[in-house]
Amino acid sequence: MALISLSLLTVGPAAATTDEAAAAVTAMKQTARAPAGFVDRPIVALDWTLAETLTGIGVRAMGVGQVETYASWVDQPALPQGTRDLGLRTQPNLEQLAALAPNDILISPMLASLAPRLSAIAPVTSIAIYTPDADTWQTLVKATRQLGKLTQREPQAEQLIRLSTARLAGYNAALRQQSAHDGKTPLPLLMVQFMDDRHVRIFGDNSLFQAVIERMGIDNAWQGDTNAWGFATVSLEKLVTLEGRMVVVEPLPPGGREALARNGLWQAMPGVRENSQAAAPLFLPPVWSFGALPSANRFAELLASHLIDGETAPEGETTDGNH
């Protein structure tokens, strides 16, 4: 678990002072009732994966770790208006937490070292999402049910599970129909996120992205080893000899696509070197690669917007990738 970049856990403002915490709590008490479609629950979620799942079942938590940074890395589903920012996920503002007096503090095993301090404020519930040798999709389903029960939103949790399963099955059917019509199958995918201009995380077994494309009937071009989170960090050179279609999930390295266009290694990537429209890399907006069912839905929709013709899109679905 420690292999995940700690930079993603520590980016954000420093913990607020006691006065700032008190002001935040006062603002919290003055916040209007939950937006339409949401209910308030006296819980906080330091982990983004748990926070997005709560959002997906219509729960507004009292607070979430690094709300502003969540918007950059997770993007959708957007947290409900009025969700308080609890500071760094790895160093939450304990004064603010104590003043909020939640009934439960939700964390992932990644944040287990915080449990002794947090448990002095409120009961701590740790919910695992990514575990070695487990079926990632079934783990996501289990976590959704657990959160539904914890928040008395069990019908909404079951609805999220049903809709997620049906959506991916629909995309699978649409891709098979399209393949039968065109006589072509989708190219295997190389799903990456840039760490810098020469290194990427590439996603394979045990990853959210792998769980999604499996259910869409698409192969993964990366068959190498991955860690407990379902990715390996590799140099671009390792991808040069692979055959498949690049899927690049933002954010991009400094300089964006213009910098990539000047990057000699990028010019040797599959689909770029052939200058092939059919195999051209796909650039997707941010999707939380360590997410749960809401991020799975978002990734599937974004892929479908590129891979499925409008005529074969599942009935009732749009393919613009928006929620």
Side-chain angles (χ1 to χ4, degrees):
M1 298 295 180
L3 290 176
I4 181 174
S5 172
L6 290 178
S7 65
L8 293 184
L9 291 173
T10 56
V11 171
T17 65
T18 302
D19 289 343
E20 290 170 335
V25 172
T26 300
M28 176 71 186
K29 293 177 179 177
Q30 295 173 346
T31 298
R33 65 180 59 186
F38 290 90
V39 296
D40 284 322
R41 292 290 185 261
I43 58 176
V44 298
L46 299 183
D47 179 85
W48 286 344
T49 305
L50 303 180
E52 73 162 42
T53 304
L54 291 173
T55 302
I57 62 174
V59 172
R60 181 174 69 168
M62 300 174 80
V64 170
Q66 291 175 260
V67 168
E68 184 175 345
T69 315
Y70 173 103
S72 299
W73 282 92
V74 184
D75 191 14
Q76 297 294 326
L79 295 172
Q81 185 176 4
T83 302
R84 306 307 305 175
D85 192 328
L86 301 175
L88 298 178
R89 288 171 288 164
T90 53
Q91 298 176 0
N93 185 314
L94 299 181
E95 292 86 355
Q96 184 176 354
L97 271 174
L100 287 173
N103 288 354
D104 210 332
I105 300 173
L106 306 182
I107 65 170
S108 67
M110 186 74 179
L111 302 175
S113 63
L114 299 176
R117 284 176 290 165
L118 297 175
S119 61
I121 297 172
V124 176
T125 299
S126 179
I127 298 178
I129 300 290
Y130 294 91
T131 55
D133 303 319
D135 183 307
T136 300
W137 186 264
Q138 292 307 317
T139 306
L140 301 180
V141 168
K142 180 180 178 181
T144 303
R145 289 193 169 122
Q146 188 174 351
L147 288 170
K149 182 176 182 179
L150 183 70
T151 59
Q152 299 85 50
R153 298 284 282 182
E154 290 166 287
Q156 289 77 14
E158 292 302 324
Q159 181 182 42
L160 176 59
I161 293 166
R162 286 195 306 272
L163 291 176
S164 302
T165 303
R167 176 175 286 120
L168 269 63
Y171 290 147
N172 183 304
L175 283 167
R176 284 188 284 108
Q177 178 184 343
Q178 182 171 286
S179 295
H181 180 269
D182 297 342
K184 300 177 183 178
T185 57
L187 290 171
L189 300 181
L190 286 162
M191 303 170 290
V192 304
Q193 278 186 315
F194 274 91
M195 303 303 293
D196 56 41
D197 61 356
R198 297 180 63 89
H199 298 87
V200 296
R201 284 178 176 156
I202 186 160
F203 294 89
D205 285 343
N206 209 48
S207 69
L208 175 78
F209 297 161
Q210 174 70 23
V212 168
I213 67 170
E214 279 181 0
R215 280 154 185 80
M216 292 178 68
I218 305 171
D219 292 332
N220 193 336
W222 176 256
Q223 298 298 313
D225 293 336
T226 58
N227 60 17
W229 293 86
F231 72 88
T233 302
V234 301
S235 64
L236 287 176
E237 288 99 327
K238 277 207 168 186
L239 308 184
V240 170
T241 60
L242 298 180
E243 297 293 334
R245 189 169 192 180
M246 299 282 293
V247 176
V248 181
V249 180
E250 296 177 355
L252 298 178
R257 296 194 199 186
E258 293 79 10
L260 286 179
R262 299 188 298 271
N263 185 324
L265 281 173
W266 176 253
Q267 296 305 314
M269 289 298 101
V272 181
R273 60 178 178 247
E274 299 90 353
N275 193 26
S276 166
Q277 183 63 33
L282 305 178
F283 290 88
L284 305 186
V287 178
W288 186 227
S289 52
F290 313 112
L293 292 183
S295 284
N297 285 322
R298 176 168 168 77
F299 184 64
E301 290 176 16
L302 290 167
L303 276 182
S305 71
H306 291 281
L307 301 180
I308 301 177
D309 296 335
E311 294 179 358
T312 54
E315 184 177 353
E317 293 279 0
T318 60
T319 58
D320 60 2
N322 294 322
H323 284 262

